Amino acid sequence: MQAKAATSEAGRSVAITPAQRVVLESSEWFAALDPAFRQAIVASSRVMTLPVGGAVFHRGDPCDGIYCVLSGAVCFSGSAPSGRGSVAALVEAPQWFGEIGLFDGGARTHDALADITSTVLHLPLRHLAKILAHDPGRWRQLGLLLVRKLRIALTLLEDMALEPPRVRLARCLINLLEGYGQRKAAPSYSLRVSQERLGMMLSLSRQTVNELLRQLEQDEVIQCRRGGVRILDLGRLTEAARGAS
């Protein structure tokens, strides 16, 4: 089911280009792998192009491998029977995703849809299984990718219960800026994320997010732009994320 959905909504899979390889190498997780593991991943993977709204996979689909964003952005979302939607994360290059199902054999937990026209690297499960069978010690490397995300998820849950909206917003902006800890290279200080998306990620109304962003803008910490935010003072944003007024 998942493979059919991805194939129907994505462009034809092709081999990775040298420019895309540079993006891939900027992933902290990928760059830390041993050279043979990195080469095996590249040799066994293909690049897909997704239109806006194109599905990488849907909630409930079986795991078919792991992915890395090479350009654009992928939004992880869900919806309740009432129709109310939520956004769990917005991932950009060079972030990896899709590894949860490797460990428990379970289905996908969210819809993963291209937020804008995007390219993603896909390492199919059948190829990854062969790579891991050749050297079972590499499971630990995949475990490190999963555990890093688990630490962030637990922190976000604690923030939701204990921290005020301003702190949560500042931490969310930093997480987006740093690619949830997956970027090796210095990030751009411009974020392409709407107030509506931020509200869904933080369980806040768009009006509350707008007010908080305007306060940070008045303090010259950020600059609000159409469909995004530019970080002007990362040090002060970090202070706000720690709860400083």
Side-chain angles (χ1 to χ4, degrees), residues 89-235:
L90 187 67
V91 300
E92 298 180 322
Q95 293 174 251
W96 286 85
F97 62 92
E99 71 281 356
I100 293 176
L102 296 176
F103 289 88
D104 65 0
R108 300 298 190 185
T109 59
H110 292 82
D111 295 330
L113 309 176
D115 206 44
I116 56 176
T117 300
S118 305
T119 56
V120 296
L121 185 77
H122 177 211
L123 175 56
L125 180 59
R126 64 183 183 279
H127 296 317
L128 179 55
K130 292 180 181 178
I131 294 172
L132 295 173
H134 179 72
D135 184 355
R138 289 170 176 167
W139 274 105
R140 182 178 183 277
Q141 300 302 316
L142 287 166
L144 292 176
L145 179 64
L146 178 63
V147 168
R148 175 177 291 183
K149 294 180 182 179
L150 177 60
R151 287 183 180 277
I152 292 174
L154 291 174
T155 298
L156 293 176
L157 285 173
E158 183 176 315
D159 289 350
M160 194 76 74
L162 301 177
E163 299 294 352
R166 176 185 170 94
V167 171
R168 289 162 50 204
L169 174 60
R171 291 179 180 178
C172 180
L173 293 177
I174 291 174
N175 277 330
L176 291 173
L177 187 69
E178 296 179 345
Y180 296 92
Q182 289 197 50
R183 285 199 181 98
K184 176 184 176 185
S188 165
Y189 277 60
S190 293
L191 300 175
R192 191 202 58 79
V193 59
S194 68
Q195 294 182 14
E196 181 180 8
R197 281 274 191 267
L198 287 170
M200 295 176 75
M201 293 171 72
L202 296 166
S203 295
L204 298 172
S205 69
R206 185 183 183 281
Q207 291 76 12
T208 298
V209 171
N210 178 269
E211 180 181 347
L212 292 171
L213 288 173
R214 294 303 173 187
Q215 291 175 3
L216 290 171
E217 186 172 44
Q218 289 174 6
D219 293 339
E220 299 183 341
V221 176
I222 66 168
Q223 179 184 26
C224 294
R225 295 180 170 181
R226 183 178 179 83
V229 174
R230 177 170 175 77
I231 310 301
L232 300 178
D233 192 329
L234 182 57

